[in-house]
Amino acid sequence: MKQVICINWGTKYGPPFINRLYAMVARNITPPFRFTCFCDNTDGIRPEVDCQPLPEIDYEIPVTRKGIWPKSRLWGATLGDLSGPVLFMDLDVVVTGNLDDFFTYGDPDQVILSRNPAKPFERLGQTSVFRFPVGKLLPLQEQFKANPLAIAEEYGYEQRFVTRNAPGGIDLFPKAWVRHFRYQCVPPFPLNFAFAPRLPKDARIVIFPGGVFPEQAIAGGWLGREGWSLSRHLKNMSNKPHKDGSTWRYLRHWMKPSPWVADAWRE
């Protein structure tokens, strides 16, 4: 049984993201499979999704600007009624190819992460997509709960904490399988003005860390400027948002619409 899991808390994502992720998985996997969402509200979630409560924890999640530390709920000795290897996927990923190999690659008892292209000189995994056996990461949870804020400040991102401390070490999925939208799909400046983001050959999942989500990819423009034309983008260069920083950064923060994201990111 192939087991796919995701986690949802609060209102940032919710049923539309959960339902789309289930649909993308179902279109790109050979049955049988099980799709489980650990969540705090089941309203509006399609009936095919196995909804289970958020795993209980006995520590406070630290509030930081970086890593998504609520994922540490998944590191416990148990995970609902699941057992064995599970493939975790963030709710904002886009599935673009067959997922079967994610369940057979490498050692079933090992923690296997997607690769993080944002840090090419560091062997760093990405937890937007990763596989682990239920209970394997319990030592990480115990280490984390002893001082959550100190761990969060030391490692910055929970994916670095997992990469460095997973029992038995980690493996990485082949880099072609999981691609980073901003780094590996959007053309670099100034080619972003002429060419739309491309889907790399053999990509099976496209991840969206760092402020650009599938909605912006479909509409074009950028976060907060969805659907903007290039001329409008350039005219507003003198009024660029503070988060865009330098003029150079602002010029890079524009893209044409990506029809292939719309084709994949649907129920």
Side-chain angles (χ1 to χ4, degrees), residues 57-70:
I57 53 175
D58 56 358
Y59 54 89
E60 292 290 328
I61 299 292
V63 178
T64 68
R65 295 182 298 107
K66 296 183 178 180
I68 310 300
W69 296 97

Side-chain angles (χ1 to χ4, degrees), residues 145-180:
K145 76 177 183 179
N147 198 334
L149 183 58
I151 293 290
E153 290 177 342
E154 178 182 355
Y155 288 90
Y157 295 94
E158 46 82 32
Q159 58 207 22
R160 182 174 284 116
F161 180 60
V162 174
T163 300
R164 297 284 173 264
N165 297 281
I170 60 116
D171 194 0
L172 298 171
F173 287 121
K175 64 181 180 180
W177 293 4
V178 183
R179 294 294 189 164
H180 190 299

Side-chain angles (χ1 to χ4, degrees), residues 197-218:
R198 67 181 185 91
L199 175 62
K201 182 181 178 182
D202 298 328
R204 306 180 186 200
I205 301 173
V206 178
I207 61 176
F208 285 78
V212 173
F213 302 102
E215 301 100 306
Q216 286 81 46
I218 292 169

Side-chain angles (χ1 to χ4, degrees), residues 62-102:
V63 178
T64 68
R65 295 182 298 107
K66 296 183 178 180
I68 310 300
W69 296 97
K71 288 183 185 178
S72 65
R73 289 179 177 272
L74 304 173
W75 301 344
T78 61
L79 195 54
D81 62 358
L82 303 179
S83 61
V86 294
L87 180 69
F88 172 84
M89 302 172 70
D90 271 345
L91 290 172
D92 58 2
V93 306
V94 173
V95 180
T96 59
N98 188 270
L99 299 172
D100 292 348
D101 289 339
F102 285 93

Side-chain angles (χ1 to χ4, degrees), residues 6-220:
C6 62
I7 186 170
N8 182 75
W9 65 90
T11 59
K12 182 177 180 179
Y13 295 104
F17 284 81
I18 298 165
N19 294 340
R20 269 191 295 258
L21 181 58
Y22 172 84
M24 289 188 290
V25 169
R27 287 194 295 269
N28 290 283
I29 200 170
T30 303
F33 75 97
R34 182 178 183 183
F35 184 98
T36 300
C37 181
F38 295 96
C39 55
D40 55 4
N41 188 347
T42 63
D43 293 345
I45 299 177
R46 58 192 297 167
E48 300 95 330
V49 176
D50 167 37
C51 292
Q52 299 200 31
L54 289 173
E56 293 185 2
I57 53 175
D58 56 358
Y59 54 89
E60 292 290 328
I61 299 292
V63 178
T64 68
R65 295 182 298 107
K66 296 183 178 180
I68 310 300
W69 296 97
K71 288 183 185 178
S72 65
R73 289 179 177 272
L74 304 173
W75 301 344
T78 61
L79 195 54
D81 62 358
L82 303 179
S83 61
V86 294
L87 180 69
F88 172 84
M89 302 172 70
D90 271 345
L91 290 172
D92 58 2
V93 306
V94 173
V95 180
T96 59
N98 188 270
L99 299 172
D100 292 348
D101 289 339
F102 285 93
F103 299 92
T104 58
Y105 180 83
D107 185 339
D109 191 48
Q110 193 165 27
V111 179
I112 306 180
L113 293 83
S114 50
R115 296 168 186 262
N116 191 325
K119 303 290 183 181
F121 301 110
E122 179 182 0
R123 188 174 185 267
L124 181 62
Q126 180 85 35
T127 55
S128 295
V129 179
F130 77 114
R131 196 185 80 205
F132 64 98
V134 172
K136 179 82 172 186
L137 298 178
L138 178 59
L140 268 66
Q141 191 179 68
E142 292 175 339
Q143 182 181 350
F144 181 64
K145 76 177 183 179
N147 198 334
L149 183 58
I151 293 290
E153 290 177 342
E154 178 182 355
Y155 288 90
Y157 295 94
E158 46 82 32
Q159 58 207 22
R160 182 174 284 116
F161 180 60
V162 174
T163 300
R164 297 284 173 264
N165 297 281
I170 60 116
D171 194 0
L172 298 171
F173 287 121
K175 64 181 180 180
W177 293 4
V178 183
R179 294 294 189 164
H180 190 299
F181 182 75
R182 286 190 304 116
Y183 285 113
Q184 297 174 311
C185 299
V186 178
F189 174 80
L191 298 179
N192 59 316
F193 292 168
F195 301 101
R198 67 181 185 91
L199 175 62
K201 182 181 178 182
D202 298 328
R204 306 180 186 200
I205 301 173
V206 178
I207 61 176
F208 285 78
V212 173
F213 302 102
E215 301 100 306
Q216 286 81 46
I218 292 169

